[in-house]
Each structure stands twice: as C-alpha cells, then as structure tokens.
Amino acid sequence: MFPPWMLIMMQERLTNCLSIMEPPGSTLTATYAHPKPTPTNFLPAVGTLASSYRDRFPHNNVTHPLSLPWRPSTYYKVASNSPTLGPYCTRSQKVCDNTMLPFVSNRTTLFTRYTPDDWYRSNLTNYLESDTSRHNSERLRVDTSRLIQDKYQHTRKTQADSTQNLGERVNDIGFWISEITHELDAMIGETNALTDVKKKLERALMETEAPLQVARECLFHREKRMGIDLVHDDVETQLLTEVDTILCCEERMKLHLDKAIAQLAANRASQHELEKDLSDKQAAYRIDDKCHHLRNTSDGVSYFRGVERVDATVSVPESWAKFTDDNVLHSQSTRAASSKLRDDIHNLLVVTANEMWNQFNKVNLSFTNRIAETADAKNKIQIHLAKTLQEIFQTEMTIESIKKAIKDKSTFLKVAQTRLDERTRRSNIELCRDMAQLRLVNEVYEVDDTIQTLQQRLREAEDTLQSLVHTKATLEHDLAVKANSLYIDQEKCMSMRKTFPNTLRLVGFC
C-alpha cells in the first residue's frame, strides 16, 4: 500500500495525460455527464471489493461534516481503498504510450466521493434529525399550550392582586380621611378658644400703661436730685424694680401675645395642611375607588400606550403614610401647644397682676427708709470708687508689662527670620528642607503666634482700662451731686402713688 499523497499525485498525472490525448476539435465532457466504457483489466469490480472494504474500514462515526465540498484528501482520509501500484502504474503507462482514452467507469471508481458507510450514516442522521425535529415540535406545542394557560392564570391572578391592592389602598385612604377629619374639627375648636384668650390678654396689656407711667414719673422727678443724692437707693431700686416688673409683665404679655398670634398662624397653617391633605385624600379616594371597581367589561377601558413608562409618582407607601401621619402628628402637637399656651396665658394674667400689686406696695414702703439708706449708699459708692482706682492702676501696670513682653518677643522673631533668610542663600542641592529648616519655620510661627496672643491680650487690657475709667467717671459724677432728694421723694413722688388698677382689670375681665 502507498501513502495517500502518492496516490493523489499519480491521479493528477493520469488526468493530465488524458487531457493531452483528447483529439483536437472534440468537446470536453464531464465524466459524470457521459460515462465511458470501463476497461476490463483496469480495476476490479466494486462487488469484489465491498467485503474487503467493510472489513478494513469498520463502521465509525463520520469525522467530518457531510455537507463539506468533496476533496480528495478528505476522501482518502475516510476510505483509502486503492489498487496495487503494479497494475495501476502499468496500465497508466500503457494508456499514455498507446494514447488511449480512459474508461469513465474506472475514473468514477477512483474518484468516488463517499463510502457506503457514509451513505448509511447519512440516512441514519436524517432519521435522527427527523425524530428530533418532530420531538422538538411536539414538545413546543405542549409547552406552548401550557404556557398560554399559565400566562392566562398568571394574568388573572395579577389583575386580582391589583384589585385587592386597590381595595386595600381605598381602605387606607378612608382611614386617613377619618383621622384627618377628626383632627381638623379639634383644631378648629382650639383655634376659636385661643382667639378668645388672645382678646383677654390684649385688654390686660392695655391696663398696665397707667402704673408704668406713675413709676416713670417718680423716676423722672428723682433724676432731678443734685450731687451725691443721685444714687441707686432702695427707693429708686424699688422704682426701677417696679418699672422692670411692669415692663417684664408687659414683655411677657407681649411675648405671649406674639406667641398667641404665631400659634394662631400655626393653627391655621396646620388646619390648611389638613384641609389640603383631606382634599387630596378625597380626590384620591374617588379615583382609587373608581379604579377598584373597574373590570374588563367596564366602560372607559382603553389603551394608553406608554403610560407604564411614565413614572409621575412622588412618594412610596411608607412616605405617603408618613406624610399624612406627620400632618396629623404636627396638628396634634400644634393643638397641644395651643392648649398649653392658653393655660400659660391664664396663669400669666394672674401672676402678673399679683407681681405688680406686690411691687407697688414695696415701693411705697421703701420711700419711708430713704434717709438712712442714702448715707449707706454714699459709703458704698466711695468704697467702689477706691477699688476702681486701684484696679485702674493694676490694669495700667499690666498693659506696660504686656508691651514689654511683646518687645522682647520681637527680638526672637527677628533672629529666626534672619536665619531663614540666610539659609535661602544656600546653593543647589544644599537647599535642603532639613530639621533645622523645619524647626526655624516652626519657631517663626510659634513666636508670631505668641506675639499675636500678647497683642490680643493688650487690646483686651486696654478695653478693660477704658471700661474702668468710664466706671470711675460715673462714680465721681454720682458722688458730685446730691441735693433736693428729700423734697422730691416726699412731696412729688408719694403724692402720685395713691391709685392703682384693681385685679379684675389687670387680668383682662374689664
């Protein structure tokens, strides 16, 4: 047996010889179109080779696709049943020598594309492919039928779930509508009650103007004292206390009045938010209730292409419930604050009336002790003046010491900065950021920070000194004037302090 490549070369040479021996003027015809008689002694019959062929090449799987174009190399790799070299070469030489045309049957036998096993395997493959295709088709039909049924059941279940969710949503909205309605009614009642209390507070505030005017007149007359008598004695203190008490009462009344106004605004704002939320909830309730009762046979059902891709939502169930819950909680908190404010206003009216009455009596009692208290106050002012002078002296010494310290630190700063400046003149690689460089930089920052701290302390000391000087001038002025205080306290002030509003008017009932 010869290798396949040698047989291929022999066949190509034989083909060339046959093409040369073709008579001139004749038409070249393909061997598969018009087969020629086969020489009796070229190759043995196919029937005689069938058994030996099958025995030599057992039934194996095809190692190459059957749809590929025919190639001699592929063929010989699959089945290489070739005649011996002796007869083949001898016959080919005879054909070349005698210039005889080859027989078509012999050429067809040599150039057969497939073997019988290939043929059987091709049929078997077709049968298997047919069975597989029919099996896949049958399985597809069964799966499709089951898929249609499953999708129908799934769609119905999805619609039922959506309907159930809409029903739950309608119930949730109805629950919040009832909560908002209840809270809205309570808020309206609280707003009306707070409005009535606010009117009482305004009347009580107006009644404090007369006592305040009397106290201020007394202070105005006492300001006419001369010299050392212009001191803050107990009478003036009580008068100032009375003024402060009345002003404090007025301030608290005004503060509570402002709180009442702000609380009324907050109540109305909460009421507005509740009404707005209630309106939105009612509209949403109607829409969701309509959607809940929609069926496949309902009127108005139509296609709205792309509506599922439009996400116009601005909340999730948690934030939705939290929004209304926050509104209700905010309204409850606002209503509780309003109720507490009403109680505070009631208590304030009673407390302020008692405070103003008590302070009025204290001022009247303080006027009887003014002479002894004047002498005691004079001694205290003198003591304070001496202490102030001493503190001024100490402060001046402190300022001088701070200035000296700043001047001393400037020398250290100059040295550090001079060192840094000199080190900048190093050449090339010697400009190293070494530890000395880092320490000098830190030293500059530290010394500069120290100087800044001392300068800040110097400014504070100077401000303190100015304050002490101002206090000294005030005390000297108070000690410089004292006269006519007895006439002012006894004749002018006490004559005005004979009337005071009654309690009912101070609490706002009249």
Short mmCIF file of all heavy atoms in Angstrom, two decimals, residues 295-352:
data_model
loop_
_atom_site.label_atom_id
_atom_site.label_comp_id
_atom_site.label_asym_id
_atom_site.label_seq_id
_atom_site.Cartn_x
_atom_site.Cartn_y
_atom_site.Cartn_z
N ARG A 295 -63.57 46.76 35.71
CA ARG A 295 -63.43 45.37 35.29
C ARG A 295 -63.13 45.34 33.80
O ARG A 295 -63.14 46.36 33.13
CB ARG A 295 -64.71 44.57 35.59
CG ARG A 295 -65.04 44.49 37.08
CD ARG A 295 -63.97 43.71 37.84
NE ARG A 295 -64.30 43.60 39.26
CZ ARG A 295 -63.90 44.41 40.18
NH1 ARG A 295 -63.17 45.47 39.84
NH2 ARG A 295 -64.22 44.23 41.45
N ASN A 296 -62.89 44.14 33.28
CA ASN A 296 -62.60 44.01 31.85
C ASN A 296 -63.77 44.43 30.98
O ASN A 296 -63.59 44.78 29.82
CB ASN A 296 -62.20 42.58 31.52
CG ASN A 296 -60.89 42.20 32.19
OD1 ASN A 296 -60.11 43.06 32.54
ND2 ASN A 296 -60.67 40.89 32.37
N THR A 297 -64.96 44.38 31.54
CA THR A 297 -66.16 44.74 30.77
C THR A 297 -66.64 46.15 31.08
O THR A 297 -67.72 46.53 30.61
CB THR A 297 -67.28 43.73 31.08
OG1 THR A 297 -67.52 43.73 32.50
CG2 THR A 297 -66.89 42.32 30.64
N SER A 298 -65.88 46.89 31.85
CA SER A 298 -66.32 48.24 32.23
C SER A 298 -66.16 49.20 31.06
O SER A 298 -65.35 48.99 30.15
CB SER A 298 -65.52 48.74 33.43
OG SER A 298 -65.67 47.88 34.54
N ASP A 299 -66.97 50.26 31.10
CA ASP A 299 -66.85 51.31 30.09
C ASP A 299 -65.64 52.19 30.40
O ASP A 299 -65.25 52.35 31.56
CB ASP A 299 -68.12 52.18 30.09
CG ASP A 299 -69.35 51.37 29.67
OD1 ASP A 299 -69.17 50.37 28.95
OD2 ASP A 299 -70.47 51.74 30.08
N GLY A 300 -65.10 52.78 29.35
CA GLY A 300 -63.98 53.67 29.53
C GLY A 300 -62.64 52.99 29.58
O GLY A 300 -61.62 53.65 29.79
N VAL A 301 -62.60 51.67 29.40
CA VAL A 301 -61.35 50.94 29.40
C VAL A 301 -60.75 51.03 28.01
O VAL A 301 -61.41 50.69 27.01
CB VAL A 301 -61.55 49.47 29.81
CG1 VAL A 301 -60.25 48.71 29.72
CG2 VAL A 301 -62.10 49.40 31.22
N SER A 302 -59.51 51.48 27.91
CA SER A 302 -58.89 51.67 26.61
C SER A 302 -57.39 51.54 26.75
O SER A 302 -56.85 51.37 27.86
CB SER A 302 -59.25 53.06 26.03
OG SER A 302 -58.63 53.27 24.78
N TYR A 303 -56.71 51.58 25.60
CA TYR A 303 -55.26 51.55 25.59
C TYR A 303 -54.69 52.94 25.86
O TYR A 303 -55.21 53.93 25.33
CB TYR A 303 -54.72 51.06 24.24
CG TYR A 303 -54.95 49.58 24.01
CD1 TYR A 303 -55.89 49.15 23.10
CD2 TYR A 303 -54.19 48.63 24.69
CE1 TYR A 303 -56.11 47.79 22.88
CE2 TYR A 303 -54.39 47.27 24.47
CZ TYR A 303 -55.35 46.86 23.56
OH TYR A 303 -55.54 45.54 23.34
N PHE A 304 -53.65 52.98 26.64
CA PHE A 304 -52.89 54.21 26.86
C PHE A 304 -51.42 53.85 26.68
O PHE A 304 -50.75 53.43 27.63
CB PHE A 304 -53.16 54.79 28.25
CG PHE A 304 -54.58 55.23 28.46
CD1 PHE A 304 -55.54 54.35 28.95
CD2 PHE A 304 -54.97 56.52 28.13
CE1 PHE A 304 -56.84 54.76 29.14
CE2 PHE A 304 -56.27 56.94 28.33
CZ PHE A 304 -57.22 56.06 28.81
N ARG A 305 -50.98 53.95 25.46
CA ARG A 305 -49.66 53.48 25.10
C ARG A 305 -48.58 54.26 25.87
O ARG A 305 -48.62 55.48 25.91
CB ARG A 305 -49.41 53.63 23.59
CG ARG A 305 -50.38 52.86 22.72
CD ARG A 305 -50.24 51.37 22.94
NE ARG A 305 -51.15 50.62 22.04
CZ ARG A 305 -51.28 49.29 22.05
NH1 ARG A 305 -50.58 48.59 22.94
NH2 ARG A 305 -52.10 48.69 21.22
N GLY A 306 -47.65 53.49 26.44
CA GLY A 306 -46.52 54.11 27.12
C GLY A 306 -46.80 54.63 28.51
O GLY A 306 -45.90 55.21 29.13
N VAL A 307 -48.05 54.45 29.01
CA VAL A 307 -48.35 55.01 30.32
C VAL A 307 -47.57 54.30 31.42
O VAL A 307 -47.27 54.87 32.46
CB VAL A 307 -49.87 54.92 30.58
CG1 VAL A 307 -50.32 53.48 30.77
CG2 VAL A 307 -50.24 55.76 31.80
N GLU A 308 -47.20 53.01 31.19
CA GLU A 308 -46.45 52.30 32.21
C GLU A 308 -45.03 52.80 32.34
O GLU A 308 -44.36 52.56 33.34
CB GLU A 308 -46.43 50.79 31.89
CG GLU A 308 -45.63 50.40 30.66
CD GLU A 308 -46.42 50.61 29.37
OE1 GLU A 308 -47.59 51.06 29.46
OE2 GLU A 308 -45.87 50.35 28.29
N ARG A 309 -44.54 53.50 31.28
CA ARG A 309 -43.18 54.04 31.34
C ARG A 309 -43.14 55.44 31.94
O ARG A 309 -42.06 55.97 32.18
CB ARG A 309 -42.57 54.07 29.93
CG ARG A 309 -42.35 52.70 29.33
CD ARG A 309 -41.51 52.80 28.06
NE ARG A 309 -42.20 53.55 27.02
CZ ARG A 309 -43.01 53.01 26.12
NH1 ARG A 309 -43.25 51.71 26.14
NH2 ARG A 309 -43.59 53.76 25.20
N VAL A 310 -44.29 56.03 32.17
CA VAL A 310 -44.36 57.37 32.77
C VAL A 310 -44.50 57.20 34.29
O VAL A 310 -45.53 56.73 34.77
CB VAL A 310 -45.55 58.17 32.20
CG1 VAL A 310 -45.63 59.53 32.87
CG2 VAL A 310 -45.41 58.33 30.69
N ASP A 311 -43.46 57.54 34.99
CA ASP A 311 -43.47 57.42 36.46
C ASP A 311 -43.64 58.81 37.05
O ASP A 311 -42.67 59.54 37.27
CB ASP A 311 -42.17 56.78 36.93
CG ASP A 311 -42.22 56.46 38.42
OD1 ASP A 311 -43.30 56.69 39.02
OD2 ASP A 311 -41.21 56.01 38.98
N ALA A 312 -44.90 59.18 37.28
CA ALA A 312 -45.19 60.51 37.85
C ALA A 312 -45.35 60.47 39.37
O ALA A 312 -45.77 61.45 39.97
CB ALA A 312 -46.48 61.07 37.22
N THR A 313 -45.00 59.33 39.98
CA THR A 313 -45.16 59.23 41.43
C THR A 313 -44.10 60.06 42.14
O THR A 313 -42.98 60.24 41.64
CB THR A 313 -45.04 57.76 41.87
OG1 THR A 313 -43.75 57.26 41.46
CG2 THR A 313 -46.12 56.93 41.21
N VAL A 314 -44.47 60.54 43.30
CA VAL A 314 -43.55 61.35 44.11
C VAL A 314 -43.37 60.77 45.50
O VAL A 314 -42.70 61.37 46.34
CB VAL A 314 -44.05 62.81 44.22
CG1 VAL A 314 -44.07 63.47 42.87
CG2 VAL A 314 -45.44 62.87 44.86
N SER A 315 -43.96 59.62 45.76
CA SER A 315 -43.85 59.04 47.09
C SER A 315 -44.00 57.53 46.99
O SER A 315 -44.41 56.99 45.95
CB SER A 315 -44.91 59.62 48.04
OG SER A 315 -46.21 59.28 47.60
N VAL A 316 -43.65 56.87 48.06
CA VAL A 316 -43.85 55.43 48.23
C VAL A 316 -44.83 55.24 49.38
O VAL A 316 -45.13 56.20 50.10
CB VAL A 316 -42.50 54.74 48.52
CG1 VAL A 316 -41.57 54.86 47.32
CG2 VAL A 316 -41.84 55.32 49.75
N PRO A 317 -45.39 54.03 49.54
CA PRO A 317 -46.37 53.85 50.63
C PRO A 317 -45.87 54.30 51.99
O PRO A 317 -46.63 54.87 52.78
CB PRO A 317 -46.63 52.34 50.59
CG PRO A 317 -46.41 51.94 49.18
CD PRO A 317 -45.29 52.83 48.68
N GLU A 318 -44.58 54.08 52.26
CA GLU A 318 -44.07 54.50 53.56
C GLU A 318 -44.06 56.02 53.69
O GLU A 318 -44.51 56.57 54.70
CB GLU A 318 -42.65 53.95 53.76
CG GLU A 318 -42.58 52.43 53.94
CD GLU A 318 -42.70 51.70 52.62
OE1 GLU A 318 -42.69 52.38 51.56
OE2 GLU A 318 -42.81 50.46 52.64
N SER A 319 -43.54 56.69 52.65
CA SER A 319 -43.51 58.16 52.71
C SER A 319 -44.91 58.75 52.63
O SER A 319 -45.18 59.80 53.22
CB SER A 319 -42.63 58.71 51.59
OG SER A 319 -43.15 58.35 50.32
N TRP A 320 -45.82 58.07 51.88
CA TRP A 320 -47.21 58.56 51.79
C TRP A 320 -47.88 58.51 53.16
O TRP A 320 -48.48 59.49 53.61
CB TRP A 320 -47.96 57.72 50.78
CG TRP A 320 -49.44 58.01 50.73
CD1 TRP A 320 -50.06 59.01 50.06
CD2 TRP A 320 -50.47 57.27 51.39
NE1 TRP A 320 -51.41 58.95 50.26
CE2 TRP A 320 -51.70 57.90 51.07
CE3 TRP A 320 -50.49 56.14 52.20
CZ2 TRP A 320 -52.92 57.43 51.54
CZ3 TRP A 320 -51.70 55.68 52.68
CH2 TRP A 320 -52.90 56.32 52.34
N ALA A 321 -47.78 57.37 53.81
CA ALA A 321 -48.39 57.25 55.14
C ALA A 321 -47.69 58.18 56.14
O ALA A 321 -48.34 58.78 56.99
CB ALA A 321 -48.33 55.80 55.62
N LYS A 322 -46.38 58.28 56.00
CA LYS A 322 -45.64 59.15 56.92
C LYS A 322 -46.03 60.61 56.72
O LYS A 322 -46.08 61.38 57.69
CB LYS A 322 -44.14 58.97 56.70
CG LYS A 322 -43.28 59.73 57.69
CD LYS A 322 -41.80 59.44 57.45
CE LYS A 322 -40.94 60.15 58.51
NZ LYS A 322 -41.13 61.60 58.49
N PHE A 323 -46.32 61.02 55.48
CA PHE A 323 -46.71 62.40 55.22
C PHE A 323 -47.99 62.74 55.97
O PHE A 323 -48.07 63.75 56.68
CB PHE A 323 -46.89 62.60 53.72
CG PHE A 323 -47.37 63.97 53.34
CD1 PHE A 323 -46.50 65.04 53.31
CD2 PHE A 323 -48.71 64.20 53.02
CE1 PHE A 323 -46.93 66.31 52.96
CE2 PHE A 323 -49.16 65.47 52.68
CZ PHE A 323 -48.26 66.52 52.66
N THR A 324 -49.02 61.92 55.81
CA THR A 324 -50.29 62.19 56.49
C THR A 324 -50.14 62.03 58.00
O THR A 324 -50.69 62.81 58.78
CB THR A 324 -51.38 61.25 55.97
OG1 THR A 324 -51.46 61.39 54.54
CG2 THR A 324 -52.73 61.59 56.58
N ASP A 325 -49.38 61.01 58.40
CA ASP A 325 -49.17 60.82 59.83
C ASP A 325 -48.42 62.00 60.42
O ASP A 325 -48.74 62.45 61.53
CB ASP A 325 -48.38 59.52 60.06
CG ASP A 325 -48.25 59.19 61.53
OD1 ASP A 325 -49.28 59.10 62.22
OD2 ASP A 325 -47.13 59.04 62.00
N ASP A 326 -47.46 62.51 59.68
CA ASP A 326 -46.75 63.71 60.14
C ASP A 326 -47.69 64.91 60.22
O ASP A 326 -47.59 65.73 61.15
CB ASP A 326 -45.58 64.02 59.21
CG ASP A 326 -44.47 63.02 59.34
OD1 ASP A 326 -44.47 62.26 60.34
OD2 ASP A 326 -43.61 62.95 58.43
N ASN A 327 -48.59 65.03 59.24
CA ASN A 327 -49.56 66.14 59.29
C ASN A 327 -50.45 66.04 60.52
O ASN A 327 -50.69 67.03 61.22
CB ASN A 327 -50.41 66.14 58.02
CG ASN A 327 -49.67 66.70 56.82
OD1 ASN A 327 -48.70 67.43 56.98
ND2 ASN A 327 -50.11 66.36 55.64
N VAL A 328 -50.94 64.83 60.78
CA VAL A 328 -51.80 64.63 61.94
C VAL A 328 -51.02 64.85 63.23
O VAL A 328 -51.48 65.53 64.16
CB VAL A 328 -52.43 63.23 61.91
CG1 VAL A 328 -53.22 62.97 63.19
CG2 VAL A 328 -53.34 63.09 60.71
N LEU A 329 -49.81 64.27 63.28
CA LEU A 329 -48.99 64.46 64.48
C LEU A 329 -48.61 65.92 64.67
O LEU A 329 -48.61 66.43 65.80
CB LEU A 329 -47.74 63.59 64.38
CG LEU A 329 -47.94 62.08 64.48
CD1 LEU A 329 -46.62 61.35 64.31
CD2 LEU A 329 -48.58 61.70 65.81
N HIS A 330 -48.28 66.58 63.55
CA HIS A 330 -47.95 68.01 63.65
C HIS A 330 -49.16 68.81 64.12
O HIS A 330 -49.03 69.72 64.94
CB HIS A 330 -47.48 68.50 62.29
CG HIS A 330 -47.14 69.95 62.27
ND1 HIS A 330 -46.07 70.49 62.94
CD2 HIS A 330 -47.77 71.02 61.68
CE1 HIS A 330 -46.03 71.79 62.76
NE2 HIS A 330 -47.04 72.15 62.00
N SER A 331 -50.35 68.46 63.62
CA SER A 331 -51.55 69.16 64.06
C SER A 331 -51.83 68.89 65.54
O SER A 331 -52.18 69.80 66.30
CB SER A 331 -52.75 68.73 63.21
OG SER A 331 -53.93 69.34 63.65
N GLN A 332 -51.65 67.64 65.96
CA GLN A 332 -51.85 67.32 67.37
C GLN A 332 -50.84 68.04 68.24
O GLN A 332 -51.18 68.55 69.32
CB GLN A 332 -51.73 65.81 67.57
CG GLN A 332 -52.87 65.02 66.95
CD GLN A 332 -52.67 63.52 67.07
OE1 GLN A 332 -51.60 63.06 67.47
NE2 GLN A 332 -53.70 62.76 66.73
N SER A 333 -49.58 68.07 67.77
CA SER A 333 -48.57 68.80 68.53
C SER A 333 -48.88 70.29 68.58
O SER A 333 -48.75 70.94 69.63
CB SER A 333 -47.20 68.57 67.88
OG SER A 333 -46.20 69.32 68.52
N THR A 334 -49.32 70.84 67.44
CA THR A 334 -49.69 72.25 67.40
C THR A 334 -50.89 72.52 68.31
O THR A 334 -50.93 73.53 69.02
CB THR A 334 -50.01 72.66 65.96
OG1 THR A 334 -48.89 72.37 65.13
CG2 THR A 334 -50.31 74.15 65.87
N ARG A 335 -51.85 71.63 68.29
CA ARG A 335 -53.04 71.81 69.13
C ARG A 335 -52.68 71.69 70.61
O ARG A 335 -53.20 72.44 71.46
CB ARG A 335 -54.08 70.77 68.75
CG ARG A 335 -55.41 70.91 69.45
CD ARG A 335 -56.50 70.17 68.69
NE ARG A 335 -56.12 68.82 68.38
CZ ARG A 335 -56.26 67.77 69.20
NH1 ARG A 335 -56.78 67.97 70.40
NH2 ARG A 335 -55.91 66.56 68.82
N ALA A 336 -51.76 70.75 70.93
CA ALA A 336 -51.31 70.64 72.32
C ALA A 336 -50.56 71.89 72.75
O ALA A 336 -50.73 72.39 73.87
CB ALA A 336 -50.42 69.40 72.48
N ALA A 337 -49.72 72.40 71.84
CA ALA A 337 -49.01 73.65 72.16
C ALA A 337 -49.98 74.81 72.32
O ALA A 337 -49.80 75.67 73.19
CB ALA A 337 -48.00 73.96 71.06
N SER A 338 -51.04 74.83 71.52
CA SER A 338 -52.04 75.88 71.64
C SER A 338 -52.78 75.78 72.96
O SER A 338 -53.02 76.79 73.64
CB SER A 338 -53.02 75.80 70.46
OG SER A 338 -54.03 76.77 70.58
N SER A 339 -53.13 74.56 73.35
CA SER A 339 -53.82 74.37 74.64
C SER A 339 -52.91 74.76 75.81
O SER A 339 -53.34 75.43 76.76
CB SER A 339 -54.25 72.92 74.78
OG SER A 339 -54.87 72.70 76.03
N LYS A 340 -51.64 74.39 75.71
CA LYS A 340 -50.70 74.77 76.76
C LYS A 340 -50.52 76.29 76.80
O LYS A 340 -50.41 76.89 77.87
CB LYS A 340 -49.35 74.09 76.51
CG LYS A 340 -48.33 74.36 77.59
CD LYS A 340 -47.05 73.60 77.31
CE LYS A 340 -46.02 73.84 78.41
NZ LYS A 340 -45.67 75.24 78.59
N LEU A 341 -50.50 76.91 75.63
CA LEU A 341 -50.37 78.36 75.59
C LEU A 341 -51.56 79.04 76.22
O LEU A 341 -51.42 80.06 76.93
CB LEU A 341 -50.19 78.80 74.13
CG LEU A 341 -50.01 80.30 73.91
CD1 LEU A 341 -48.78 80.82 74.63
CD2 LEU A 341 -49.93 80.62 72.42
N ARG A 342 -52.74 78.52 76.01
CA ARG A 342 -53.93 79.10 76.65
C ARG A 342 -53.82 79.02 78.16
O ARG A 342 -54.11 79.98 78.88
CB ARG A 342 -55.19 78.38 76.18
CG ARG A 342 -55.61 78.74 74.77
CD ARG A 342 -57.00 78.25 74.44
NE ARG A 342 -57.10 76.81 74.46
CZ ARG A 342 -57.72 76.10 75.38
NH1 ARG A 342 -58.31 76.72 76.42
NH2 ARG A 342 -57.79 74.77 75.31
N ASP A 343 -53.39 77.86 78.66
CA ASP A 343 -53.20 77.73 80.11
C ASP A 343 -52.12 78.68 80.62
O ASP A 343 -52.27 79.29 81.69
CB ASP A 343 -52.83 76.29 80.45
CG ASP A 343 -53.95 75.31 80.13
OD1 ASP A 343 -55.12 75.77 80.07
OD2 ASP A 343 -53.65 74.11 79.92
N ASP A 344 -51.05 78.80 79.83
CA ASP A 344 -49.98 79.72 80.24
C ASP A 344 -50.47 81.16 80.29
O ASP A 344 -50.08 81.94 81.17
CB ASP A 344 -48.80 79.61 79.27
CG ASP A 344 -48.10 78.26 79.38
OD1 ASP A 344 -48.30 77.58 80.40
OD2 ASP A 344 -47.37 77.89 78.44
N ILE A 345 -51.31 81.52 79.35
CA ILE A 345 -51.83 82.90 79.33
C ILE A 345 -52.73 83.14 80.53
O ILE A 345 -52.66 84.21 81.19
CB ILE A 345 -52.57 83.16 78.01
CG1 ILE A 345 -51.57 83.19 76.84
CG2 ILE A 345 -53.33 84.48 78.06
CD1 ILE A 345 -52.22 83.31 75.49
N HIS A 346 -53.58 82.18 80.87
CA HIS A 346 -54.42 82.32 82.07
C HIS A 346 -53.56 82.48 83.31
O HIS A 346 -53.81 83.37 84.15
CB HIS A 346 -55.34 81.11 82.21
CG HIS A 346 -56.50 81.11 81.28
ND1 HIS A 346 -57.45 82.11 81.26
CD2 HIS A 346 -56.88 80.24 80.31
CE1 HIS A 346 -58.36 81.86 80.35
NE2 HIS A 346 -58.04 80.74 79.74
N ASN A 347 -52.55 81.63 83.44
CA ASN A 347 -51.67 81.73 84.61
C ASN A 347 -50.89 83.04 84.60
O ASN A 347 -50.66 83.66 85.66
CB ASN A 347 -50.70 80.56 84.64
CG ASN A 347 -51.41 79.23 84.82
OD1 ASN A 347 -52.47 79.17 85.45
ND2 ASN A 347 -50.84 78.16 84.28
N LEU A 348 -50.48 83.47 83.41
CA LEU A 348 -49.71 84.71 83.31
C LEU A 348 -50.53 85.91 83.77
O LEU A 348 -50.01 86.79 84.48
CB LEU A 348 -49.25 84.89 81.86
CG LEU A 348 -48.52 86.19 81.56
CD1 LEU A 348 -47.18 86.24 82.28
CD2 LEU A 348 -48.34 86.38 80.05
N LEU A 349 -51.77 85.96 83.41
CA LEU A 349 -52.61 87.10 83.81
C LEU A 349 -52.73 87.20 85.32
O LEU A 349 -52.67 88.28 85.91
CB LEU A 349 -53.99 86.99 83.15
CG LEU A 349 -54.02 87.12 81.64
CD1 LEU A 349 -55.44 86.87 81.11
CD2 LEU A 349 -53.53 88.50 81.21
N VAL A 350 -52.89 86.07 85.98
CA VAL A 350 -52.98 86.07 87.44
C VAL A 350 -51.65 86.43 88.09
O VAL A 350 -51.57 87.25 89.02
CB VAL A 350 -53.48 84.70 87.94
CG1 VAL A 350 -53.49 84.65 89.47
CG2 VAL A 350 -54.86 84.39 87.39
N VAL A 351 -50.56 85.85 87.57
CA VAL A 351 -49.24 86.09 88.14
C VAL A 351 -48.81 87.54 87.96
O VAL A 351 -48.28 88.18 88.89
CB VAL A 351 -48.21 85.12 87.51
CG1 VAL A 351 -46.80 85.52 87.90
CG2 VAL A 351 -48.50 83.69 87.96
N THR A 352 -49.01 88.09 86.79
CA THR A 352 -48.60 89.48 86.55
C THR A 352 -49.39 90.46 87.41
O THR A 352 -48.82 91.46 87.92
CB THR A 352 -48.79 89.83 85.07
OG1 THR A 352 -50.14 89.51 84.66
CG2 THR A 352 -47.83 89.05 84.19
#
